[in-house]
Amino acid sequence: MEKNIEKRAANKAHKKLISADKTFDVANVVIMILLFFIFAWPLWFVVIASFSDPGEVWRGNVILFPKGFSIDSYTEILKYKEIWIGYRNTIFYTVVGTVINLFMTVCMAYPLSRKKFMPKNILMVLCMITMYFGGGLIPSYLVVKNLHMIDTVWAMMIPGCLSVYNMIIMRSYFVNSIPDSLEEAATLDGAGPVQYLVKVVLPLSKPVIAVIALYYMVGHWNDFFSALIYVNDKNLLPLQTFLRNLLVTNTVGNVSQTQNLNPELLQKKIYLAQTIKYSAIIVSTLPVLCIYPFVQKYFVKGVMIGAIKG
Amino acid sequence: MKRDKKGKGAAQNGGLLAAVPQRSFGDRLLKDFKGNWSLYLMVLIPVTYLIIFCYIPMTGIQLAFKEYRVSDGIWGSPWVGLYNFKRFFKSYKFVMLLKNTILINVYSLVVGFPIPIIFALMLNYLRMKKFKKTIQMLSYAPYFISTVVMSGMIIIFLDPNTGVINKVLELLGFEAMNFMGEAKYFKSIYVWSSVWQGMGWASIIYIAALSGVDYQLHEAAIVDGASKLQRIFHVDLPSIKPTIIMLLILQIGSLMSVGFEKVFLLQNQLNMSSSDVLSTYVYRVGLVDNDYGYSTAVGLFNSLINMFLLISANMIAKRTTNESLW
């Protein structure tokens, strides 16, 4: 009898628990579906707006699905000379800049990962200080100016060419993931530190190099600050500056009312001026969007490596 | 952890030194240089970079106490004592700038810090594997949108006449609003759009920490009759506490350094009273008005507060929870 009551009580508690967990699961799924839309809709909207009929977008008829397929905004955006110059420059800054970044990062990370390198602790401190303290905007600007780098491609790539954070990630990979016995063997075979780096360490560090290269590349692709401060020359401006002029300050692509156009054509131009913005976003983000699915696991890995080291 | 390692290394060195006490520091350095000259050569390149682009600008901080003259350069310009600072503290903008900087940051911290943790916990209990993967991947994507495009999207979406948000509001029977034209909306727009862009990425670290929680603890909790919510509070959260505290200290340390770019891009004449912050002011008086000394002083004031916040956050964390950055 007593046992039965106990059993029933236990059953009741169990049922209560199950229902609490069920509520939790349902709420969880509902919130996640909501979040799915919150994340997806703005991105989805940019895509459909860029392919829809400009008039429909202007009138607000495009919200969830595209209406009236049109690629006018794409043909129009590609007529801008600035976007081509911007694209060319940004590709150059991204490729050359990342190569410089990786070179600098390896040059610092590798010596600091060697046990027998005497000044490594003091150099580490030298690096760490720059993570927490800097000269600020004007003193940095004056250095670049005194080096006559203003309005040159170097101003876009040399300041900030070593990220101490990335360097520490790479160093901890060198220290923790490459067995010491390899160095002993290489030394016995007569390899110096540089030979050991090129022939053994770098080939074994492909994952971490990929992660850091990707970090640097996205940084260059999205960089707008360097150009704002150091570059005025129209032929050197990156894509992001063009995008700022188009999307934020409206200094390009604006339709002036005084243009001698018949009303209908003018109306069309005004409609198009809005959809151009969406297609510009797509065109400029396309490279990142294309490589994103393939590399996202590396990004995640990079966050982990960084997090472990703190 | 890092500290321990260093400590051990020093102890080992100490042991070696004790065994060969007759060598002087110079001798050892010379010997090290002979054996490792290629490493020295290699490290010389980034060290030169650090000196030129990080340490020489630090010497430029003296500009905060000087009146800059182009002909005399940084070192030759005359000293003016605390004049630049006094000017800043007396300026009518001082209170507004400080208030905006602090409010935007505290708002970002209060909203932006817990949300990725909650998101990670919820993902952790999501059973549908495919849906989980999809939403994870989708949530990281906004992180790779550049600040310029992000700001552009905000401005286009919120446009009072053509913005899609206003179109939806009208469909639902509300009136269209000029979001970017009114100062009171600025901070919310800034903070919530940053949450949208950064929460997925910020949750990665917590997801990793959660996957490291010992499953035996969960099994024990289930046997004891704990519900999922109870397991979150009594198993998951205590297990990832060190990660949470570490990231919290870092966030507090950067409390005063609002991302310059996004504020700068979203700023306009109409919302200036609630969007002007220290970093945009430093840029404007420095590079637009060419008031170098004054701009450096404001920048220095900003970074001193940052240092103070980081050090105090670290100290408090050390005292109360025994976790700290250094």
Side-chain angles (χ1 to χ4, degrees):
Chain A
M1 190 69 187
E2 235 169 54
K3 252 187 186 171
N4 246 346
I5 292 172
E6 233 172 56
K7 227 180 192 175
R8 228 180 275 165
N11 248 343
K12 230 181 190 175
H14 189 63
K15 265 183 193 157
K16 214 176 172 184
L17 192 67
I18 285 180
S19 82
D21 278 356
K22 257 204 177 127
T23 326
F24 177 88
D25 279 338
V26 170
N28 197 357
V29 170
V30 169
I31 294 173
M32 282 297 164
I33 291 172
L34 214 68
L35 274 175
F36 179 87
F37 281 104
I38 291 174
F39 283 125
W41 178 74
L43 305 171
W44 170 243
F45 180 78
V46 173
V47 177
I48 59 171
S50 73
F51 283 112
S52 289
D53 178 66
E56 298 282 355
V57 178
W58 176 269
R59 285 187 286 275
N61 292 334
V62 176
I63 286 170
L64 287 175
F65 303 102
K67 274 210 178 90
F69 183 82
S70 147
I71 53 163
D72 290 355
S73 60
Y74 284 95
T75 49
E76 194 66 20
I77 191 72
L78 295 178
K79 281 183 198 155
Y80 283 97
K81 207 175 64 202
E82 293 99 319
I83 201 170
W84 292 103
I85 296 175
Y87 234 100
R88 181 198 71 194
N89 291 339
T90 292
I91 290 173
F92 177 77
Y93 299 145
T94 303
V95 173
V96 180
T98 305
V99 170
I100 298 175
N101 290 146
L102 285 177
F103 177 75
M104 294 296 256
T105 310
V106 171
C107 279
M108 195 82 205
Y110 178 67
L112 290 188
S113 71
R114 299 298 90 198
K115 273 201 200 103
K116 285 177 190 151
F117 186 55
M118 239 176 91
K120 69 174 182 190
N121 286 342
I122 185 162
L123 287 176
M124 197 63 190
V125 173
L126 194 82
C127 289
M128 298 286 274
I129 289 173
T130 65
M131 278 176 95
Y132 297 105
F133 202 70
L137 181 70
I138 297 297
S140 311
Y141 172 79
L142 287 176
V143 167
V144 176
K145 198 178 165 187
N146 290 336
L147 291 169
H148 302 286
M149 279 205 216
I150 300 288
D151 268 335
T152 65
V153 291
W154 305 113
M156 293 293 297
M157 297 181 290
I158 302 294
C161 68
L162 172 67
S163 146
V164 172
Y165 181 78
N166 287 345
M167 189 280 287
I168 292 173
I169 294 179
M170 192 180 273
R171 190 196 74 117
S172 59
Y173 190 91
F174 287 167
V175 171
N176 298 324
S177 306
I178 295 173
D180 291 340
S181 53
L182 285 178
E183 186 175 14
E184 285 156 26
T187 317
L188 280 180
D189 286 346
V194 176
Q195 263 180 313
Y196 175 63
L197 169 69
V198 175
K199 298 227 165 104
V200 180
V201 176
L202 289 184
L204 285 177
S205 308
K206 272 180 200 148
V208 77
I209 292 172
V211 167
I212 288 174
L214 289 165
Y215 275 149
Y216 279 129
M217 276 163 79
V218 172
H220 283 294
W221 192 271
N222 290 342
D223 182 22
F224 149 75
F225 189 67
S226 315
L228 177 74
I229 294 180
Y230 301 128
V231 177
N232 291 311
D233 188 339
K234 273 188 182 154
N235 286 314
L236 297 179
L237 289 176
L239 195 55
Q240 298 298 329
T241 307
F242 169 73
L243 286 172
R244 180 202 171 204
N245 295 340
L246 181 79
L247 304 174
V248 179
T249 58
N250 280 319
T251 39
V252 230
N254 223 358
V255 184
S256 73
Q257 307 283 340
T258 51
Q259 271 172 338
N260 245 343
L261 291 169
N262 67 51
E264 204 179 310
L265 210 63
L266 184 71
Q267 198 64 42
K268 243 189 177 167
K269 280 225 154 186
I270 292 173
Y271 292 159
L272 204 58
Q274 195 198 6
T275 31
I276 276 182
K277 292 180 178 178
Y278 297 115
S279 46
I281 292 175
I282 300 287
V283 168
S284 66
T285 321
L286 206 61
V288 182
L289 285 180
C290 283
I291 58 167
Y292 172 67
F294 301 101
V295 297
Q296 60 112 13
K297 60 176 182 204
Y298 290 110
F299 279 113
V300 175
K301 204 183 258 170
V303 172
M304 308 296 196
I305 301 174
I308 291 159
K309 205 57 203 169
Chain B
M1 209 170 90
K2 217 183 287 163
R3 238 236 141 92
D4 278 344
K5 252 190 192 162
K6 255 188 206 166
K8 250 186 227 163
Q12 273 171 7
N13 277 344
L16 283 176
L17 284 188
V20 268
Q22 64 271 39
R23 277 232 176 100
S24 77
F25 176 76
D27 281 346
R28 278 185 292 128
L29 193 65
L30 198 69
K31 187 167 178 275
D32 187 57
F33 183 74
K34 273 183 186 153
N36 286 331
W37 62 270
S38 51
L39 292 180
Y40 280 86
L41 207 66
M42 194 185 268
V43 96
L44 192 67
I45 306 163
V47 166
T48 313
Y49 160 78
L50 284 179
I51 289 171
I52 294 176
F53 288 93
C54 298
Y55 284 92
I56 289 181
M58 285 185 206
T59 68
I61 290 176
Q62 56 179 293
L63 268 182
F65 308 95
K66 284 186 165 182
E67 189 197 322
Y68 183 73
R69 287 188 193 148
V70 182
S71 52
D72 298 328
I74 296 178
W75 292 88
S77 295
W79 294 95
V80 290
L82 291 175
Y83 170 74
N84 288 322
F85 289 93
K86 281 184 192 149
R87 226 178 100 200
F88 178 52
F89 296 143
K90 275 186 196 153
S91 144
Y92 73 98
K93 287 211 159 143
F94 174 68
V95 176
M96 184 194 80
L97 289 169
L98 205 60
K99 203 179 101 191
N100 285 338
T101 311
I102 292 171
L103 278 180
I104 290 183
N105 278 304
V106 172
Y107 194 169
S108 301
L109 185 75
V110 171
V111 172
F113 190 73
I115 285 181
I117 302 175
I118 299 169
F119 181 56
L121 285 168
M122 289 174 66
L123 271 177
N124 199 38
Y125 281 92
L126 200 63
R127 284 216 214 106
M128 295 163 271
K129 282 269 155 59
K130 274 223 170 113
F131 183 50
K132 187 175 161 180
K133 268 256 144 68
T134 317
I135 195 153
Q136 245 177 306
M137 193 166 158
L138 193 64
S139 70
Y140 306 154
Y143 183 80
F144 300 102
I145 297 174
S146 75
T147 319
V148 175
V149 168
M150 185 68 214
S151 312
M153 275 168 69
I154 293 168
I155 292 169
I156 304 169
F157 277 43
L158 295 178
D159 188 280
N161 301 316
T162 60
V164 63
I165 300 283
N166 276 320
K167 298 284 182 201
V168 173
L169 281 181
E170 279 171 3
L171 263 180
L172 296 175
F174 296 99
E175 256 175 62
M177 286 192 280
N178 187 3
F179 291 101
M180 295 309 293
E182 275 187 63
K184 63 178 175 190
Y185 297 127
F186 180 83
K187 294 192 178 80
S188 296
I189 292 170
Y190 178 87
V191 169
W192 287 99
S193 62
S194 301
V195 167
W196 180 77
Q197 194 174 11
M199 72 180 262
W201 188 254
S203 71
I204 295 178
I205 235 173
Y206 299 114
I207 292 170
L210 283 172
S211 68
V213 175
D214 190 354
Y215 196 71
Q216 285 184 340
L217 292 174
H218 278 291
E219 276 172 350
I222 293 167
V223 169
D224 286 348
S227 72
K228 285 187 176 172
L229 213 56
Q230 282 169 324
R231 272 156 62 197
I232 287 181
F233 281 106
H234 299 288
V235 179
D236 289 325
L237 281 175
S239 307
I240 61 168
K241 203 176 96 184
T243 316
I244 295 178
I245 289 168
M246 192 185 81
L247 291 173
L248 188 63
I249 301 171
L250 280 174
Q251 282 244 331
I252 292 174
S254 57
L255 207 61
M256 292 291 282
S257 54
V258 210
F260 163 83
E261 286 185 26
K262 197 167 155 202
V263 177
F264 175 74
L265 289 163
L266 290 177
Q267 225 166 39
N268 60 41
Q269 284 308 315
L270 296 169
N271 63 26
M272 206 64 164
S273 65
S274 112
S275 67
D276 208 11
V277 293
L278 285 169
S279 58
T280 50
Y281 188 62
V282 167
Y283 168 78
R284 221 170 40 245
V285 294
L287 290 181
V288 180
D289 303 341
N290 290 319
D291 199 345
Y292 288 0
Y294 184 53
S295 169
T296 310
V298 180
L300 181 62
F301 171 74
N302 196 349
S303 47
L304 285 179
I305 295 182
N306 265 345
M307 291 286 276
F308 172 76
L309 284 173
L310 183 69
I311 291 168
S312 10
N314 196 49
M315 230 164 64
I316 292 169
K318 210 181 213 167
R319 288 243 177 95
T320 53
T321 61
N322 263 327
E323 305 278 343
S324 70
L325 285 180
W326 63 79

